[in-house]
Amino acid sequence: MNGALVIAIDGPAGAGKSTVGRAVASQLDLEYLDTGAMYRAVTFAVLRRGVDPHATDEVARVAEAIDLVIDDDGVFVDGVDATVDIRGREVTGSVSAVAANSAVRSEMVDRQRSWVLEHGGGVIEGRDIGSVVFPDADLKLFVTASPRIRAERRVAEIGGDVDEVEASIIERDRKDSTRSDSPLLEADGSTTVDTTGMSIDEVVAHILTMLPAEGADDRSTVR
Ligand code: CDP
Ligand code: CDP
């Protein structure tokens, strides 16, 4: 029924994209893809092989070579379970450098488009989904919240010092927003959802009111 429905969710670190994206996908019986996990998985592979995250060509070769599986059981890189490690401090500290590599992005975007073709649409979440990967998505959202609130939510989830987490979030957003290839931005035609002061359920309910009408013939074609 939701054959080729594509919902693109972008936004800064810790805004609630994954939580809300998963819930929206489940409500609509769609598949969900966390593209941040893909860039984190490449970073995990780069660090594991002892490659410098800034070594452009070597990092690109890792991205092109890795076998990457993301499913309900976790994130697997060349058969190794990386589910926990991709969220760790080491990967988080290097992921923006790896994600700024154009060859890495090109490889990941190809894989993301293939995934959507294979799954007949879905909810896809990241930084450049509405601007680069699926500019013709049926619904394009920019989910955000104040840096302080995002840091407080992260600390409630995984612990840490709020000031430190906030500083690290602000720095990662700065790197992601100022890179030359596919920077984090509010894509043309996207709707901003500021979740500061909103619960997860409120955000999900709000997003569900924005869907194109069932059967509308202006739904995008997945290419
Ligand atoms: O979960 P969190 O918001 O902290 O980050 P994430 O969505 O897991 O993304 C991790 C990093 O991957 C980001 O900081 C970006 O550098 C990169 N990323 C990207 O460049 N493009 C995407 N479509 C998704 C993530
Ligand atoms: O994917 P992204 O980095 O944008 O954020 P997330 O991992 O989905 O959410 C970060 C944390 O904020 C999680 O612990 C969510 O449960 C929480 N959250 C919240 O408390 N209220 C919201 N409206 C959205 C997310």
Side-chain angles (χ1 to χ4, degrees):
M1 200 158 79
N2 285 323
L5 188 65
V6 176
I7 299 178
I9 303 181
D10 292 302
K17 302 179 301 295
S18 315
T19 314
V20 163
R22 272 200 183 88
V24 168
S26 149
Q27 293 269 338
L28 297 172
D29 205 14
L30 288 169
E31 296 290 330
Y32 163 79
L33 181 63
D34 172 2
T35 65
M38 298 174 70
Y39 291 96
R40 286 175 180 274
V42 175
T43 307
F44 169 85
V46 163
L47 296 176
R48 202 159 173 266
R49 291 174 197 203
V51 171
D52 173 356
H54 294 94
T56 312
D57 293 345
E58 265 185 285
V59 169
R61 277 197 290 275
V62 173
E64 282 153 16
I66 61 167
D67 175 48
L68 179 53
V69 175
I70 302 180
D71 61 22
D72 290 345
D73 294 331
V75 176
F76 299 86
V77 180
D78 293 327
V80 174
D81 186 348
T83 316
V84 173
D85 286 348
I86 62 160
R87 306 285 164 199
R89 196 185 271 255
E90 223 191 333
V91 167
T92 301
S94 294
V95 65
S96 292
V98 169
N101 182 317
S102 289
V104 172
R105 299 207 70 80
S106 158
E107 174 67 25
M108 292 302 116
V109 169
D110 282 352
R111 294 190 191 205
Q112 289 153 21
R113 290 184 177 144
S114 302
W115 182 93
V116 165
L117 265 181
E118 225 173 82
H119 291 85
V123 177
I124 303 100
E125 170 256 296
R127 301 291 187 289
D128 60 338
I129 310 304
S131 56
V132 174
V133 188
F134 290 107
D136 297 330
D138 301 277
L139 182 61
K140 300 205 284 188
L141 301 168
F142 189 81
V143 173
T144 188
S146 74
R148 190 70 185 176
I149 286 285
R150 291 189 271 132
E152 285 172 3
R153 288 173 180 168
R154 268 284 144 85
V155 168
E157 185 187 13
I158 54 171
D161 175 77
V162 180
D163 290 331
E164 253 176 52
V165 173
E166 184 182 12
S168 130
I169 278 177
I170 289 173
E171 177 57 8
R172 191 145 56 88
D173 289 349
R174 188 192 63 73
K175 287 183 184 153
D176 291 342
S177 308
T178 55
R179 68 181 177 220
S180 56
D181 190 346
S182 316
L184 167 66
L185 47 74
E186 293 177 48
D188 283 347
S190 76
T191 304
T192 297
V193 180
D194 186 340
T195 71
T196 310
M198 284 173 90
S199 72
I200 294 163
D201 288 349
E202 284 170 337
V203 179
V204 172
H206 178 58
I207 290 173
L208 291 175
T209 66
M210 291 186 230
L211 287 173
E214 186 105 18
D217 57 11
D218 59 351
R219 280 187 178 177
S220 63
T221 308
V222 178
R223 282 181 286 268

